[in-house]
Structures are given as structure tokens and as C-alpha cells.
Amino acid sequence: MKRIIFFVALSASTFWRVASAAVEGSIEDLLEMGDNNLISDDPLTAIKYYEQGIKAMNKEVDSLITGLSLYTNSGTAYSSSGDERKAVEMYRQAILLYSNNIDEIVEKSVKKEASELAAQASFFLAMTFQELDMNQKAVDAYAFANTLDPNHWASLANMGSVLQDNMKQSAEALAVYNKAYDILTQKGAEPTDPPEHPEYVLSQLQYRIGLAISYADKQKCVMHDDPTKEVPCSEMAASAFNYAIELDPNNENAKHMLASVTADATMRRASNTYVTQLFEDYAENFEHSLVQELGYDGYQRLRRGFNRAFGGEEKVPKFKLVVDAGCGTGLVGEQFRNVSDHLVGADLSSSIINEALKARPNLYDETIVGDVTDVFKKLKPIDLIIAGDSYIYFGDLNPLFESMNEGLADGGFASFTLENPAKEYEENLSTSKPDWRWQLQPSGRFAHSKDYVISVGTDNSLRTIHYEAMDGFRKEGKNDVRGHIFIMQKHSSTAKEL
């Protein structure tokens, strides 16, 4: 999964530029010249000045503040130049310098400033570890930053993102998100580097709190003021998502997840904003996470199901124009390349398409960034539409199928996968609501009834020529996800139908 840094404190170059300007002397001059070059986006020249300043420092360190600034800003310069390993070394030197000398500082104001600088050095060290996929070290460095500076809210917020997204420790993430939120809303103490737009940050924290509650496996939820009173976790998650929306009415992620945990049947599809942001955030490590970590094989099973619809792979014809709808990194498109004369990859996320072009540079003849319902109409007539795990962000399939019907040539085909709810949940739905059509799941993806999919296809001149279950095509936590494959053909009065 992509390393996400949600909250970034004031830049090192700006913070320590202020500290260095108040001190005079040759070492301080080198620090100032390094800072000026770092601000001017010339990290390599900045590094030269910082290195000279570090060499000139006495072993006793005449100024702890200056020494901390030299090492930390040097780390920032190395990071800006792309040398993350050297950045780690410099940030560690800053923390070591602090640890070896802080007990000798008597003046309270200097001691406080040194602790804040060391906290920032530890914070930047943690972000660097996060970039290097060294998750536990990132968590430890974020925790140390908060120990040095208890009002350093950003270290807690970022620690939560590592715990939740990278280490799957939702309960631990929940605790630190709440601490970060408390720091930003407390009275009587100023948070370190308060955000320029606090409502936005507080909304993001509440959204992340809601996610952590939703995904904390086997946890019980209780009221803060009465730990003996257990409440449904979905109710607490909904409360967090609701509050996130109150703080920022434009928080589309919170709106989507609120609908998910409340099983809002009025939600007909995920917003383009939600889906785009989802894949923009995870584009870089999307395929590794999906295939290696979640065991996804739906793209292979879709092609095998398609072959069976035609009576075997050797009987599958060539298609003049094929559209890979919601193409992602090209997993599905690669399966159908050998039956495509002209293959188009379409996706809402420009970042995910860029990843597809890097991973499979010769796969697509054309790529389009946009809503697939618009793409179908633009490219008609289409001979084959393929969609692996991309229609799961639609609840109401009718508008989607209408656009497929309009875009497909007479006798054209659509081959796609959808999700089923967990077996026990499907049984409950079948009993309580036999005519259920779609259900928004806690994962934020829609599950669909087989009968509903076939029916909405029929209503749009799309006849189901092949169906098969596709259980266990990926994992959700420790559980297998259930799905199904549909192969449909557009009715034609002239073209041959299967």
C-alpha cells in the first residue's frame, strides 16, 4: 500500500532559518547560507554549507540550537536531493546531539527550544522512514517526537496513518488519532505548528477515526464517559463520519463511508471524487497490494470465464475495439490483449493510468482519463467491454448499463465482475429483503444480487450468456471476498448471437 503522509509540519528550512538568523558567528553564517540555498531549492549547495558548519563545530558544541539546526536542515537537504539514507543519518545525529547535551542546559527557554527542534528532527526522521517502508521505525520516531513535544499533533496523526494503513493496527491507530484531535481542540495550550485550516484537518482526523473503528477486528466499542456501556461499533463509526462532514461538507470520503456503515440504500454510486482520490492515493502500490497482499486473481478468472462462454479459448474471436473500463494498472487488459485489435484503457485516475503505462508500456493502444459512462458513448461502436473489479463502485447499475448499451455495437459483448455480500449477510438479506438489488458494504464497495444484475441487463438489451460464481477472488482482512462473473451480449437483429 502506498505510504501516505496526511499531516506535515512547518518545513525544516523555514523553521530553522528563524532560529539561525538570531545568532552571529562563522558557524551560524554557514547555517544561514545553507538555509538560504535550501529555501531557494538548491539542496546540493545547501549541503556543502551545512557540512562545513558541522565540521567547524566544537566537540563541546558552543550552541546546541545551532548544532541541532545544522544536522536537521542538512537532513532535509539530503531528503530534497533524493538521498533518504543520508537524511536518516543527519536526523539521527541531531537527536543524538540533543540527547548528549540537553542535561547540561540550564536556561529553560533554551531547553524548551532545543526539545522542540529535536522533536521536529524526530518527526522528519519518521517521515523519511515512512518513505523507505520502514514502518515500525517510523512509528517509533513519531512517538519519540511526541514525547519530546507533547503538543506535536502531526506526529500522532502521521503515526496513526502508518499503524492503520501499513501495519493494519486499527485499534492502536484509533488511540493516536484521538490524541491528535485532543491536542488540536484543547484550550489553554497552543498546538505545535497549528494547521492553517483546522476544520479540514479535524475533519480528516474524524474520518480516519471512523475508518479505524470500522476496521478494528474483534474490538468492542464503549462510550468514553461510561466504559461499561457497549454500543455498536457501526454507530460510533457513523458518528465520526457525520462529524467529519459537519467540519468539512466537502469531505467526499466521509460521505461515502457514512453511507456504507449505515447501509444507505439511497446511495446509488460512489462519487467520482471518492473513487478518483482512492486510486490517486494508492496508485503507486495498488497492484502489489491487490495481488500480493490481498491475493487478488479476479482478472485471470474473468478471462477464463470469458473463454468458457465461447466454448473454449480457441473459439474466442478477435475484437476490433475493446475498452478496459476502470483499467487500473492493466491486469485485466493484459488478459484480453491477444483478442484485441485496438485496446483502450479508461480510468478516472490519471495516476493509476500512469502506473499502467510504466508497468505495461506496450499494452494499450490508447488511454483515456474519464468516467467510463462517458467513454462508452464517446467511442461507440465498441465490440467488447471488459471490467474487472471496477463496477463495484456503482450501486444502481441502470445508468451504467444504459451507457454500455449505447456504446456497444449490435452483437457486442460486456465481460465484468461484481461482488457478492458475505454468505451469512446474503442469507439475512434474502430473508429480510428478498428483492434486494445492491448493498453498500463496510469496505465502501457495492455488492449486487445476481438476479438484479441479469434483470437490469435485460432491461438494457444485454442478455446474460454466461454466469459463474467467483468466491475467494481476494481477501478482506482474513476473510475471502465473494464475487461473480457476468458475460453479456447486446441484442442484435442482424449480428450473430451466442
Side-chain angles (χ1 to χ4, degrees):
M1 185 171 287
K2 184 179 179 181
R3 304 169 294 283
I4 299 179
I5 296 175
F6 285 93
F7 309 100
V8 181
L10 192 66
S11 70
S13 56
T14 304
F15 191 93
W16 286 289
R17 176 69 179 85
V18 175
S20 65
V23 190
E24 295 182 357
S26 61
I27 297 176
E28 287 74 20
D29 289 342
L30 290 167
L31 171 61
E32 184 170 351
M33 286 186 285
D35 290 345
N36 287 335
N37 280 279
L38 188 55
I39 292 169
S40 300
D41 199 24
D42 185 2
L44 296 179
T45 302
I47 289 169
K48 292 179 182 178
Y49 285 118
Y50 293 139
E51 287 180 343
Q52 291 178 44
I54 290 169
K55 288 178 182 178
M57 282 194 307
N58 294 326
K59 291 183 179 180
E60 300 286 321
V61 186
D62 291 335
S63 170
L64 178 58
I65 301 301
T66 302
L68 286 170
S69 300
L70 279 167
Y71 277 122
T72 307
N73 284 12
S74 177
T76 301
Y78 276 113
S79 181
S80 298
S81 70
D83 192 343
E84 303 289 3
R85 299 287 177 179
K86 191 67 176 178
V88 166
E89 180 186 335
M90 291 296 103
Y91 292 138
R92 280 176 163 167
Q93 286 295 327
I95 296 167
L96 182 62
L97 181 68
Y98 169 83
S99 300
N100 289 340
N101 292 275
I102 191 62
D103 290 340
E104 299 175 11
I105 303 298
V106 177
E107 191 175 338
K108 288 185 178 179
S109 62
V110 176
K111 201 161 193 169
K112 181 176 182 296
E113 184 178 4
S115 295
E116 289 173 350
L117 293 175
Q120 289 289 66
S122 188
F123 178 76
F124 290 126
L125 174 63
M127 288 200 295
T128 308
F129 280 141
Q130 198 171 344
E131 287 297 322
L132 293 171
D133 274 332
M134 302 170 75
N135 297 319
Q136 187 57 58
K137 288 186 176 182
V139 167
D140 293 342
Y142 281 133
F144 187 58
N146 184 247
T147 299
L148 293 172
D149 180 359
N151 290 320
H152 203 292
W153 64 273
S155 61
L156 293 170
N158 277 8
M159 190 198 313
S161 73
V162 179
L163 288 167
Q164 183 172 0
D165 296 338
N166 298 38
M167 303 176 73
K168 310 304 180 188
Q169 296 179 15
S170 295
E172 292 79 358
L174 177 61
V176 293
Y177 286 144
N178 278 313
K179 287 181 181 178
Y181 188 89
D182 289 344
I183 291 170
L184 287 172
T185 56
Q186 67 186 346
K187 295 181 179 179
E190 180 79 1
T192 299
D193 187 25
E196 184 177 355
H197 302 289
E199 291 82 7
Y200 171 80
V201 172
L202 291 171
S203 175
Q204 290 298 314
L205 279 169
Q206 283 295 329
Y207 166 66
R208 302 289 296 181
I209 286 168
L211 284 182
I213 294 171
S214 299
Y215 291 118
D217 293 338
K218 300 179 181 178
Q219 299 291 323
K220 292 183 178 180
C221 295
V222 297
M223 298 300 294
H224 185 268
D225 55 354
D226 185 3
T228 63
K229 184 180 179 182
E230 187 174 344
V231 296
C233 290
S234 59
E235 185 178 314
M236 295 191 75
S239 177
F241 294 136
N242 257 319
Y243 195 27
I245 297 166
E246 287 181 26
L247 289 162
D248 177 11
N250 295 318
N251 192 331
E252 293 294 330
N253 292 345
K255 292 177 185 177
H256 184 87
M257 291 310 299
L258 175 62
S260 175
V261 297
T262 56
D264 185 359
T266 66
M267 187 170 188
R268 295 182 174 272
R269 66 173 288 184
S271 72
N272 282 353
T273 301
Y274 170 80
V275 178
T276 302
Q277 190 60 51
L278 179 67
F279 289 98
E280 290 288 314
D281 286 343
Y282 295 110
E284 184 180 341
N285 290 313
F286 167 77
E287 185 171 321
H288 174 80
S289 175
L290 188 63
V291 177
Q292 301 301 322
E293 297 176 12
L294 302 179
Y296 175 69
D297 66 355
Y299 61 106
Q300 297 169 325
R301 293 167 73 171
L302 177 60
R303 178 57 203 268
R304 292 199 295 266
F306 189 74
N307 292 344
R308 283 189 280 271
F310 282 83
E313 183 175 4
E314 68 282 356
K315 296 182 181 179
V316 176
K318 273 267 190 175
F319 298 91
K320 185 177 179 181
L321 175 59
V322 179
V323 176
D324 186 358
C327 63
T329 57
L331 288 169
V332 174
E334 192 171 50
Q335 295 292 312
F336 286 81
R337 176 69 264 191
N338 67 335
V339 294
S340 307
D341 287 332
H342 188 86
L343 179 60
V344 178
D347 204 289
L348 279 171
S349 168
S350 59
S351 293
I352 205 78
I353 283 185
N354 287 337
E355 291 299 317
L357 295 175
K358 285 193 292 184
R360 299 171 176 86
N362 300 314
L363 176 60
Y364 294 110
D365 299 295
E366 181 182 354
T367 55
I368 299 175
V369 177
D371 189 318
V372 294
T373 59
D374 296 325
V375 172
F376 296 154
K377 298 171 185 176
K378 176 183 176 182
L379 296 182
K380 64 182 181 182
I382 302 165
D383 299 288
L384 170 63
I385 293 171
I386 53 177
D389 230 28
S390 58
Y391 287 176
I392 53 175
Y393 297 103
F394 292 84
D396 181 359
L397 294 176
N398 197 60
L400 173 65
F401 280 33
E402 283 179 353
S403 66
M404 284 203 299
N405 178 34
E406 182 176 343
L408 281 170
D410 286 351
F413 295 87
S415 177
F416 56 92
T417 64
L418 290 167
E419 286 192 18
N420 255 331
K423 191 170 185 178
E424 61 275 13
Y425 192 47
E426 185 180 25
E427 291 172 352
N428 291 336
L429 278 173
S430 298
T431 301
S432 61
K433 193 178 179 182
D435 60 345
W436 76 278
R437 297 175 296 170
W438 70 82
Q439 186 70 34
L440 185 58
Q441 305 174 100
S443 63
R445 304 186 300 269
F446 287 94
H448 294 86
S449 155
K450 171 188 173 182
D451 291 341
Y452 166 66
V453 178
I454 293 173
S455 173
V456 75
T458 301
D459 291 343
N460 287 279
S461 300
L462 298 169
R463 181 172 61 93
T464 301
I465 61 171
H466 182 79
Y467 169 86
E468 61 184 71
M470 190 179 66
D471 293 351
F473 71 98
R474 59 166 287 175
K475 292 284 187 181
E476 186 72 39
K478 296 180 180 178
N479 301 316
D480 285 341
V481 176
R482 301 173 67 229
H484 31 197
I485 296 170
F486 295 86
I487 316 296
M488 295 184 173
Q489 185 177 23
K490 180 177 176 180
H491 173 72
S492 172
S493 58
T494 56
K496 181 182 179 181
E497 295 186 7
L498 288 184

